[in-house]
Amino acid sequence: MRKLRCLSALFPLLALLSLACHDVHLGYSHEPGEIVLHDDLYSVSVVDAQNVVAVGYYGAAYYTRDGGAHWRQGQTDTRASLYEVSMADVQHGWAVGQRGLILRTDDGGETWQRQPNTKEKEGTHLFGVSAIDANTAAVLIEPIQGEGGFSPAPASFLRALRELCDEHGILLIADEVQSGY
Protein backbone atom coordinates (compact mmCIF):
# COMPACT_ATOMS: atom_id res chain seq x y z
CA MET A 1 0.00 0.00 0.00
CA ARG A 2 2.87 2.31 0.86
CA LYS A 3 4.44 1.76 -2.58
CA LEU A 4 1.13 2.64 -4.24
CA ARG A 5 0.94 5.95 -2.32
CA CYS A 6 4.52 6.72 -3.19
CA LEU A 7 3.86 6.05 -6.90
CA SER A 8 0.68 8.16 -6.91
CA ALA A 9 2.65 11.08 -5.45
CA LEU A 10 5.41 10.56 -8.01
CA PHE A 11 3.18 10.93 -11.09
CA PRO A 12 2.22 14.61 -10.54
CA LEU A 13 5.88 15.38 -9.82
CA LEU A 14 6.95 13.74 -13.09
CA ALA A 15 4.28 15.68 -14.98
CA LEU A 16 5.60 18.96 -13.57
CA LEU A 17 9.18 18.02 -14.38
CA SER A 18 8.23 17.25 -17.99
CA LEU A 19 6.99 20.84 -18.31
CA ALA A 20 10.35 22.16 -17.15
CA CYS A 21 11.86 20.93 -20.41
CA HIS A 22 9.40 22.87 -22.52
CA ASP A 23 8.81 26.55 -23.05
CA VAL A 24 5.25 27.09 -21.85
CA HIS A 25 3.87 30.52 -22.69
CA LEU A 26 0.26 31.31 -21.89
CA GLY A 27 0.35 35.11 -22.26
CA TYR A 28 -1.63 37.02 -24.89
CA SER A 29 1.00 38.96 -26.75
CA HIS A 30 1.59 39.05 -30.48
CA GLU A 31 2.38 41.45 -33.24
CA PRO A 32 -0.52 43.23 -34.98
CA GLY A 33 -1.62 41.19 -37.97
CA GLU A 34 -0.20 37.93 -36.62
CA ILE A 35 -2.68 35.07 -36.53
CA VAL A 36 -2.52 33.26 -33.19
CA LEU A 37 -4.30 30.30 -31.64
CA HIS A 38 -6.13 32.55 -29.18
CA ASP A 39 -8.42 33.71 -31.99
CA ASP A 40 -11.38 31.33 -31.93
CA LEU A 41 -13.42 32.08 -35.03
CA TYR A 42 -17.21 31.91 -34.81
CA SER A 43 -18.40 32.88 -38.31
CA VAL A 44 -17.18 32.80 -41.91
CA SER A 45 -18.61 34.59 -44.95
CA VAL A 46 -17.52 33.23 -48.32
CA VAL A 47 -17.96 35.84 -51.05
CA ASP A 48 -16.45 33.80 -53.89
CA ALA A 49 -13.65 31.28 -54.47
CA GLN A 50 -10.99 33.91 -53.64
CA ASN A 51 -12.55 36.21 -51.02
CA VAL A 52 -13.47 35.05 -47.51
CA VAL A 53 -13.90 36.91 -44.21
CA ALA A 54 -13.93 35.28 -40.74
CA VAL A 55 -14.65 36.82 -37.31
CA GLY A 56 -14.54 35.67 -33.71
CA TYR A 57 -13.17 36.02 -30.21
CA TYR A 58 -11.66 39.24 -28.87
CA GLY A 59 -12.54 41.32 -31.94
CA ALA A 60 -10.71 38.98 -34.32
CA ALA A 61 -11.39 39.56 -38.03
CA TYR A 62 -9.41 37.91 -40.82
CA TYR A 63 -9.70 38.09 -44.59
CA THR A 64 -8.17 36.38 -47.60
CA ARG A 65 -8.12 37.44 -51.21
CA ASP A 66 -6.41 34.34 -52.58
CA GLY A 67 -8.74 31.51 -51.57
CA GLY A 68 -7.17 31.02 -48.15
CA ALA A 69 -3.53 30.65 -49.17
CA HIS A 70 -2.71 33.77 -47.13
CA TRP A 71 -4.78 35.38 -44.37
CA ARG A 72 -4.47 38.90 -43.00
CA GLN A 73 -5.89 40.34 -39.79
CA GLY A 74 -8.41 43.15 -40.18
CA GLN A 75 -8.53 46.16 -37.87
CA THR A 76 -11.69 46.21 -35.73
CA ASP A 77 -10.59 48.43 -32.82
CA THR A 78 -12.61 46.28 -30.42
CA ARG A 79 -11.98 43.51 -27.91
CA ALA A 80 -15.62 42.38 -27.98
CA SER A 81 -16.36 38.99 -29.51
CA LEU A 82 -17.82 39.04 -33.01
CA TYR A 83 -20.43 36.31 -33.45
CA GLU A 84 -21.53 36.68 -37.07
CA VAL A 85 -20.22 38.16 -40.32
CA SER A 86 -21.99 38.59 -43.65
CA MET A 87 -20.46 40.05 -46.78
CA ALA A 88 -22.73 41.55 -49.46
CA ASP A 89 -19.93 41.59 -52.03
CA VAL A 90 -16.12 41.60 -52.14
CA GLN A 91 -15.90 45.02 -50.44
CA HIS A 92 -18.99 45.51 -48.24
CA GLY A 93 -20.12 43.60 -45.16
CA TRP A 94 -21.24 43.64 -41.55
CA ALA A 95 -20.23 41.87 -38.36
CA VAL A 96 -22.19 41.77 -35.10
CA GLY A 97 -21.30 40.72 -31.58
CA GLN A 98 -21.20 41.38 -27.87
CA ARG A 99 -23.07 44.25 -26.22
CA GLY A 100 -24.90 45.36 -29.37
CA LEU A 101 -21.77 45.81 -31.45
CA ILE A 102 -22.29 46.29 -35.20
CA LEU A 103 -19.27 46.79 -37.45
CA ARG A 104 -19.19 47.59 -41.18
CA THR A 105 -16.39 47.16 -43.72
CA ASP A 106 -16.12 48.90 -47.08
CA ASP A 107 -12.71 47.46 -47.99
CA GLY A 108 -13.21 43.70 -47.87
CA GLY A 109 -12.43 43.28 -44.17
CA GLU A 110 -9.21 45.29 -43.85
CA THR A 111 -10.86 47.90 -41.60
CA TRP A 112 -14.13 47.86 -39.70
CA GLN A 113 -16.14 50.87 -38.47
CA ARG A 114 -18.52 50.81 -35.51
CA GLN A 115 -22.14 51.48 -36.47
CA PRO A 116 -24.17 53.27 -33.77
CA ASN A 117 -27.42 51.54 -32.83
CA THR A 118 -29.90 51.30 -29.97
CA LYS A 119 -28.86 47.79 -28.92
CA GLU A 120 -25.38 49.03 -28.05
CA LYS A 121 -26.78 51.21 -25.25
CA GLU A 122 -28.75 48.26 -23.88
CA GLY A 123 -25.75 45.93 -24.01
CA THR A 124 -27.72 43.17 -25.72
CA HIS A 125 -25.63 40.65 -27.64
CA LEU A 126 -26.29 40.35 -31.39
CA PHE A 127 -25.89 36.91 -32.92
CA GLY A 128 -27.05 37.25 -36.53
CA VAL A 129 -26.68 39.52 -39.54
CA SER A 130 -27.37 38.99 -43.25
CA ALA A 131 -26.05 41.36 -45.88
CA ILE A 132 -28.73 42.11 -48.48
CA ASP A 133 -26.65 44.40 -50.70
CA ALA A 134 -23.74 46.83 -50.30
CA ASN A 135 -25.87 49.22 -48.21
CA THR A 136 -28.42 47.00 -46.47
CA ALA A 137 -28.25 44.23 -43.92
CA ALA A 138 -31.14 42.37 -42.39
CA VAL A 139 -31.85 42.67 -38.68
CA LEU A 140 -32.50 39.39 -36.91
CA ILE A 141 -34.05 39.70 -33.47
CA GLU A 142 -35.30 37.28 -30.89
CA PRO A 143 -38.24 39.21 -29.32
CA ILE A 144 -38.27 36.85 -26.34
CA GLN A 145 -34.81 35.68 -25.32
CA GLY A 146 -34.84 32.37 -23.49
CA GLU A 147 -31.32 32.07 -22.11
CA GLY A 148 -31.31 32.52 -18.34
CA GLY A 149 -35.10 32.90 -18.14
CA PHE A 150 -37.58 34.52 -20.49
CA SER A 151 -36.74 38.11 -21.27
CA PRO A 152 -39.14 39.85 -23.70
CA ALA A 153 -37.98 42.91 -25.65
CA PRO A 154 -39.88 46.08 -24.69
CA ALA A 155 -42.75 46.89 -27.08
CA SER A 156 -41.38 50.43 -27.51
CA PHE A 157 -38.06 49.00 -28.71
CA LEU A 158 -39.78 46.66 -31.20
CA ARG A 159 -41.87 49.56 -32.60
CA ALA A 160 -38.77 51.76 -32.94
CA LEU A 161 -36.86 48.93 -34.63
CA ARG A 162 -39.72 48.33 -37.07
CA GLU A 163 -39.82 52.07 -37.93
CA LEU A 164 -36.04 52.19 -38.39
CA CYS A 165 -36.08 49.16 -40.69
CA ASP A 166 -39.00 50.58 -42.71
CA GLU A 167 -37.27 53.95 -43.02
CA HIS A 168 -34.08 52.40 -44.39
CA GLY A 169 -35.58 49.49 -46.35
CA ILE A 170 -34.02 46.89 -44.05
CA LEU A 171 -35.45 43.41 -43.74
CA LEU A 172 -36.56 42.70 -40.14
CA ILE A 173 -36.58 39.03 -39.15
CA ALA A 174 -38.11 37.90 -35.84
CA ASP A 175 -37.06 34.54 -34.41
CA GLU A 176 -40.21 33.47 -32.57
CA VAL A 177 -38.98 30.21 -31.03
CA GLN A 178 -39.68 31.19 -27.40
CA SER A 179 -43.21 32.41 -28.11
CA GLY A 180 -44.18 29.17 -29.85
CA TYR A 181 -44.61 30.35 -33.44
Side-chain angles (χ1 to χ4, degrees):
M1 188 67 153
R2 185 175 163 174
K3 285 183 183 182
L4 185 60
R5 276 192 226 155
C6 196
L7 282 176
S8 65
L10 185 60
F11 283 118
L13 181 61
L14 288 174
L16 286 174
L17 285 175
S18 71
L19 289 177
C21 299
H22 296 73
D23 181 21
V24 178
H25 178 69
L26 300 175
Y28 186 85
S29 64
H30 64 277
E31 296 297 317
E34 181 182 348
I35 297 174
V36 295
L37 294 176
H38 302 292
D39 294 337
D40 295 333
L41 300 176
Y42 302 138
S43 177
V44 176
S45 182
V46 179
V47 181
D48 57 33
Q50 296 301 307
N51 297 281
V52 180
V53 175
V55 299
Y57 179 72
Y58 214 55
Y62 297 99
Y63 64 95
T64 182
R65 295 203 172 108
D66 59 10
H70 300 92
W71 287 87
R72 291 194 168 95
Q73 188 174 31
Q75 180 182 350
T76 62
D77 293 329
T78 184
R79 296 290 189 199
S81 288
L82 300 171
Y83 297 126
E84 181 79 29
V85 63
S86 182
M87 298 296 290
D89 57 40
V90 173
Q91 296 296 314
H92 306 96
W94 288 266
V96 296
Q98 285 182 321
R99 297 180 298 279
L101 180 63
I102 299 175
L103 300 177
R104 177 182 165 92
T105 184
D106 292 316
D107 58 14
E110 286 184 46
T111 60
W112 295 83
Q113 298 78 39
R114 185 180 296 267
Q115 303 297 296
N117 68 86
T118 56
K119 288 310 240 182
E120 204 168 19
K121 292 176 186 165
E122 294 174 18
T124 302
H125 301 319
L126 300 176
F127 294 102
V129 63
S130 297
I132 305 299
D133 60 35
N135 295 310
T136 310
V139 173
L140 175 64
I141 185 170
E142 193 174 356
I144 301 174
Q145 294 184 349
E147 294 296 320
F150 292 100
S151 178
S156 60
F157 168 75
L158 293 174
R159 280 191 294 278
L161 183 59
R162 174 76 269 166
E163 289 172 14
L164 180 69
C165 289
D166 289 346
E167 179 183 336
H168 295 283
I170 299 172
L171 176 64
L172 176 60
I173 303 168
D175 177 353
E176 293 289 340
V177 172
Q178 295 299 336
S179 60
Y181 290 104

